[in-house]
Amino acid sequence: MSRSRSKTSKGTKDHSGELIESFQKDCLIRGLTPESTVRYISTMRIFNGFLQERGVDLLEVEGSVLRDWLEYLRIERKVSQKTLENYFTEISSFYEFALYEGLISANPVAAVRKRYIRRYKNSDEGHTHKLISEEEMGRLINATMDIRDRAIITLFAKTGIRRRELIALDVDDVDFVEQSITLKPTAKRTNRTVFFDGETAIILRRWIRAREGRNPNDSKALFLSSKGDRLERTGISHMVVKAAERMGFHDSNSDRMEDHFSPHCCRHWFTTHLRRAGMPREFIQELRGDVRKEAIDIYDHIDKKELRESYLANVPQLGI
């Protein structure tokens, strides 16, 4: 693979540390969240350690090396398909950065991802996310004993927000009068207002009362860890997965995505059950914060009052 030699690498035995540090700055400039940036850099350090053991320069990686890396992850480390996908996404992002900086002539990851990381669907319906019924979601929430965890799963199911959006929530973002939540701005979301119903309001109020005794650091975060800090991605995922596992909705021994239940499955659940209830597609898109691409959608402004009324009329009632 041909490339242009980086200025920092001239006369330097190992310039990988500087490259990864520059990539970290690039991630922050591009607006990646601090959590995502940490994950990207962690992956790059793991990958660079693999390369150093084999005497391969970070900027001289070819397809054969990436195939060895894939084999190492699958056979020796036995990582899941999802983790594989994340690793190759993060490594590809680094090489896109290197390409932009003129350090390489092509991204070596693209062809390997296309051939070896592609996911093939196992069913004619094409479902890849676990979808449970309204009754099952109610049982999942009611069986979750800790009021914080119950509030988290309820909020995921009733609003369809993403995990990082939930993590970023502060107590002041919740409006109990309008029964709405104002989300922090992110690159993926267009509409920052989501609504919640009476069932959710009761559970949120109970959590906020309990939260007062779990907040030694006087944090503004809506959801706190056991130490009183803002919850992190892994903590939320672990909690949701364990709750689903207890109910038989998650099989950690299966390689099929449709046998796994994660926080993102709640977003899938939210979308599907609102659609089945008859909510207009453009309203669902607005609540999800999706980009509306059709010309008629761009010029069709959605009234917040009408959106809220439609949400309350169609959001599933779970008996919680």
Side-chain angles (χ1 to χ4, degrees):
M1 169 183 172
S2 62
R3 65 175 179 83
S4 301
R5 172 69 67 175
S6 115
K7 293 181 180 179
T8 59
S9 66
K10 288 182 178 179
T12 303
K13 187 175 181 180
D14 178 20
H15 58 278
S16 58
E18 294 179 29
L19 286 170
I20 293 173
E21 184 177 340
S22 297
F23 176 55
Q24 183 175 14
K25 294 177 182 177
D26 178 75
C27 289
L28 295 172
I29 291 171
R30 286 190 293 132
L32 269 67
T33 64
E35 295 83 2
S36 295
T37 300
V38 167
R39 194 171 67 253
Y40 275 49
I41 299 307
S42 175
T43 297
M44 285 307 305
R45 286 174 177 155
I46 293 171
F47 180 56
N48 188 51
F50 172 86
L51 296 179
Q52 289 181 334
E53 289 180 358
R54 288 153 181 78
V56 179
D57 187 280
L58 192 59
L59 294 179
E60 294 177 346
V61 168
E62 297 180 344
S64 58
V65 175
L66 290 169
R67 288 196 299 271
D68 290 343
W69 165 247
L70 177 60
E71 183 179 7
Y72 164 74
L73 292 175
R74 275 190 170 142
I75 297 175
E76 294 190 33
R77 295 192 61 177
K78 300 186 185 304
V79 303
S80 67
Q81 176 69 19
K82 182 62 176 176
T83 302
L84 279 176
E85 292 172 5
N86 289 340
Y87 276 166
F88 273 79
T89 295
E90 290 146 10
I91 292 170
S92 181
S93 181
F94 169 80
Y95 285 109
E96 285 299 320
F97 158 72
L99 183 63
Y100 176 81
E101 291 292 324
L103 305 178
I104 57 176
S105 59
N107 183 345
V109 181
V112 176
R113 283 177 75 188
K114 182 177 180 181
R115 182 168 182 83
Y116 295 104
I117 310 296
R118 181 179 177 185
R119 184 193 298 276
Y120 292 92
K121 295 186 171 104
N122 293 322
S123 70
D124 293 336
E125 295 179 357
H127 292 157
T128 55
H129 292 290
K130 179 82 171 184
L131 178 64
I132 62 178
S133 68
E134 294 180 18
E135 179 185 3
E136 288 171 328
M137 181 62 80
R139 284 166 41 208
L140 173 64
I141 293 171
N142 285 327
T144 303
M145 294 295 102
D146 188 278
I147 186 58
R148 182 205 66 179
D149 298 347
R150 185 182 294 188
I152 288 172
I153 298 175
T154 302
L155 209 56
F156 274 140
K158 294 277 194 169
T159 65
I161 61 176
R162 298 177 177 89
R163 180 172 44 174
R164 69 180 181 186
E165 292 170 340
L166 181 137
I167 290 170
L169 288 177
D170 294 328
V171 174
D172 292 343
D173 295 329
V174 182
D175 184 343
F176 282 102
V177 176
E178 294 294 327
Q179 290 189 184
S180 66
I181 296 174
T182 303
L183 304 176
K184 301 295 191 298
T186 64
K188 286 188 175 182
R189 177 170 283 274
T190 52
N191 169 45
R192 291 174 52 202
T193 301
V194 295
F195 303 102
F196 56 89
D197 62 356
E199 287 186 326
T200 310
I202 291 171
I203 293 177
L204 275 178
R205 286 186 185 278
R206 287 177 181 170
W207 159 242
I208 289 175
R209 285 197 297 270
R211 176 186 174 279
E212 294 176 4
R214 305 190 194 182
N215 190 16
N217 302 325
D218 196 27
S219 173
K220 295 180 180 180
L222 177 59
F223 293 109
L224 305 172
S225 69
S226 58
K227 296 180 180 180
D229 301 318
R230 191 179 295 273
L231 270 179
E232 297 182 353
R233 291 172 57 91
T234 53
I236 290 178
S237 289
H238 180 76
M239 180 275 293
V240 172
V241 166
K242 287 300 178 185
E245 204 166 33
R246 287 193 296 268
M247 300 300 295
F249 302 152
H250 177 89
D251 182 2
S252 58
N253 295 318
S254 174
D255 292 330
R256 300 180 349 133
M257 272 192 68
E258 50 266 48
D259 292 334
H260 293 189
F261 192 93
S262 66
H264 191 73
C265 290
C266 294
R267 183 169 170 84
H268 179 56
W269 184 92
F270 172 81
T271 304
T272 302
H273 287 287
L274 282 182
R275 178 178 56 79
R276 289 179 178 177
M279 189 179 216
R281 182 185 181 89
E282 62 272 19
F283 282 11
I284 297 175
Q285 287 179 309
E286 186 74 5
L287 290 173
R288 283 172 50 90
D290 295 338
V291 176
R292 301 167 71 204
K293 297 179 180 180
E294 297 293 332
I296 190 170
D297 290 333
I298 294 171
Y299 291 101
D300 179 23
H301 297 282
I302 293 177
D303 179 75
K304 292 291 183 184
K305 181 180 178 182
E306 186 180 6
L307 179 64
R308 181 178 182 274
E309 289 175 352
S310 180
Y311 166 80
L312 292 174
N314 290 287
V315 67
Q317 297 303 294
L318 304 177
I320 55 179

